[in-house]
Structure formats: structure tokens, C-alpha cells
Amino acid sequence: AFLGVGCARQAAPPEPPPLGGIYRSDDGGVTFTQKVTLPRRQLEILGRNAISNLAQLTPRQVIIPNAEPETLYVVAAEGVYRSTTAGDTWERLIVPAREVFSLSVHPRNPNILLSAATSVFGTRGKILKSLTRAVVWSDTFTAPTSAGETGTLLRRRRDIPTQITVVAHDSLAPQVVFAGTNTGVLLVSTDGGVRWKTRNAFHQGITGLEISPTVPGRMLLRLADGRLVHSSDGGITVNRSLIGKDANELSGLVATEKPEVTHAVLFERPTNNGIETILAGTESGLF
């Protein structure tokens, strides 16, 4: 018989993830807790080269479906992730695209998703649709190329691939879907994303699109230079939103050369008084 003696050591606790990723507040924004965990089984499926937690992501969009407040989607440069536990754990979704820029969940049927993406082989923008909570996807729209000129001394015309940068369901009429492109075209579909037509066009790309959950036809669009424009008729006509320094300039208080840059916009659901609040995050503050 052999008798061994030694010193038992407690296993070192796992290193905390780096700062970044997704944070959740359960006290109205007073404190925030990082929520970036990927289950071990998910890491084994993704492989050795995959990210180990959501703190390593470069987020582009966070979506909370109207019909499922415990479910969250994160669209990032590294892929699309979903949580069904209010952010406690996450899973990566398989989307047949090289890159996904935006995601929209049907406001009444959470099984229906639309994504603005780039084709797997090539650089053309596409809108993909899933009727099975991201299990199976199908192409519903491929953006046409647009002509442009390149070069300084010798100008040559060439085809520029159009990217679909954002897609969003109308909250009050879910069969109506809007999409924006990097060439400044606002698209609309009235059959759930199957057939599309041009609604409006801008001189620069569309980088954000938010639709009011309570007021028909009201939407806010963010353009590539950070300008915010609003529409009350579903994008047919638009006006520039004046916030922060822009509003002061309008009243003659401040003279600025560049517009206030807007980073994010959010519609809040109205309280008992029925007033709809809009939040806008800019370079100089929250309005």
C-alpha cells in the first residue's frame, strides 16, 4: 500500500471578461451588470477561433422584441447573438451571410425575422427572412448596383454594390417594412418584405431607422454624417431634426459649422398622459 501526502489547492477562479459588450440594469439605470456569458456547449460548437464572450464584440444593434421582453438580439460585426434569459446567457445564430448590419423582429410574431446583410459570396446587399426564429433563412431581396465615378484625373464610371444598412418593421402595421441603404435610398415593402420599392432618396447613406410604436407614419432616420431627420408620413417627406447645438443655432445663440452628430435614437412608449418621448444620444449629451 502507498500513502501519498500533499497540499490541496483550490482551483483558481476564472478570469473576469474584459470591459465591454452588453450591460443590464435592474434598478432603472442606477447600476449596471455585465451580461456577456456564452455557455460552454456553445463555445465547443463554435470552435477554438470563436470569441469566448460577448465583451469581445463590436455591437451594432440591440433588439428587444415587443412580444418577448425576456428575449434579446445583438447584431455585431462578429455575428448575431440571442438571449432568451434577459441577457444572462447568449447563443450565436447561424445567418447565411458574410456580414449582418441590422435585424428586425416582427412586433406580433417573434418567429418572423428580417435581416439586412451581405451575400456570402460577393458584396451585394440582401434582405433575408426567417419564419422559424432564425433556424431557416431565405432571400427576399437583393439590392441593385448603382453607378458611380472613381478616379481624380481620369474619371471612370463603375458599378457600386449597394448595402442594406438597416431594416425595420412598422410597429402598427407589421406587413409594412422599411429599409435603408448606404447609397441613401429609403425602401418600403407592403407585403412583409417580399417586394420592395423606393420611398425616398438622400444624398448620403442611411445608418439608422427608428419607427414610432404608437404614432402612424412617424419615423426618424439617421444619415451618414450624423444628421437626424424625421417624417410624419412614412418617409414620403422629411425634415431635419434640430437638437442640441443645432437648436441653439436656430435661435441665433450659437453658430456652428457642422451639425450635431446623433449616435442613437429611441422611442419610449407613452405613459398615462399619452405623450410619446423620443431619446437622442449625441456627441454633446442625451436629449
Side-chain angles (χ1 to χ4, degrees):
F2 294 92
L3 178 65
V5 294
C7 178
R9 291 185 178 181
Q10 185 177 2
E15 293 185 5
L19 298 178
I22 305 300
Y23 292 78
R24 188 181 79 198
S25 174
D26 296 319
D27 54 12
V30 178
T31 59
F32 284 87
T33 304
Q34 191 181 38
K35 298 292 182 180
V36 295
T37 302
L38 283 168
R40 181 179 297 277
R41 181 175 179 275
Q42 175 83 171
L43 296 176
E44 294 173 353
I45 294 174
L46 295 177
R48 182 176 300 176
N49 296 327
I51 66 169
S52 58
N53 60 70
L54 267 66
Q56 299 168 284
L57 294 181
T58 306
R60 291 172 170 166
Q61 184 187 21
V62 178
I63 306 103
I64 302 177
N66 292 343
E68 289 184 327
E70 292 295 309
T71 299
L72 293 90
Y73 290 86
V74 171
V75 179
E78 296 80 3
V80 180
Y81 293 79
R82 178 173 61 201
S83 172
T84 57
T85 58
D88 287 333
T89 56
W90 297 84
E91 62 174 336
R92 181 172 181 177
L93 304 181
I94 304 301
V95 183
R98 175 177 295 183
E99 196 169 3
V100 178
F101 297 98
S102 177
L103 188 76
S104 181
V105 183
H106 193 287
R108 298 174 188 168
N109 186 347
N111 293 324
I112 301 177
L113 289 81
L114 290 172
S115 67
T118 303
S119 58
V120 177
F121 304 104
T123 58
R124 300 188 67 176
K126 286 183 174 291
I127 293 179
L128 308 176
K129 186 172 186 177
S130 175
L131 303 176
T132 57
R133 282 178 72 87
V135 177
V136 179
W137 294 87
S138 60
D139 288 5
T140 63
F141 178 74
T142 300
T145 57
S146 58
E149 292 187 351
T150 59
T152 53
L153 298 178
L154 182 61
R155 305 290 289 176
R156 293 182 178 179
R157 293 188 63 82
R158 67 181 181 89
D159 290 337
I160 301 174
T162 300
Q163 298 294 339
I164 311 294
T165 54
V166 62
V167 62
H169 286 88
D170 189 312
S171 302
L172 300 177
Q175 74 278 8
V176 179
V177 187
F178 295 92
T181 74
N182 63 332
T183 56
V185 177
L186 177 64
L187 301 167
V188 62
S189 170
T190 57
D191 57 8
V194 178
R195 291 179 291 270
W196 295 83
K197 61 181 179 180
T198 299
R199 173 59 59 88
N200 208 328
F202 302 89
H203 295 298
Q204 55 184 300
I206 299 172
T207 59
L209 172 61
E210 290 290 336
I211 300 174
S212 168
T214 58
V215 181
R218 177 180 289 177
M219 66 169 58
L220 289 163
L221 296 106
R222 189 178 69 247
L223 303 183
D225 68 351
R227 294 176 186 264
L228 193 65
V229 296
H230 66 89
S231 175
S232 299
D233 54 14
I236 298 174
T237 60
V238 296
N239 294 288
R240 180 180 167 192
S241 293
L242 299 174
I243 55 178
K245 292 180 294 185
D246 294 336
N248 292 332
E249 181 181 3
L250 182 67
S251 62
L253 298 178
V254 179
T256 58
E257 294 183 357
K258 71 174 186 176
E260 180 84 3
V261 176
T262 305
H263 296 298
V265 181
L266 175 68
F267 282 95
E268 282 192 334
R269 290 195 172 274
T271 54
N272 295 332
N273 57 14
I275 299 176
E276 183 180 61
T277 302
I278 303 172
L279 298 176
T282 74
E283 288 186 327
S284 61
L286 180 64
F287 296 84

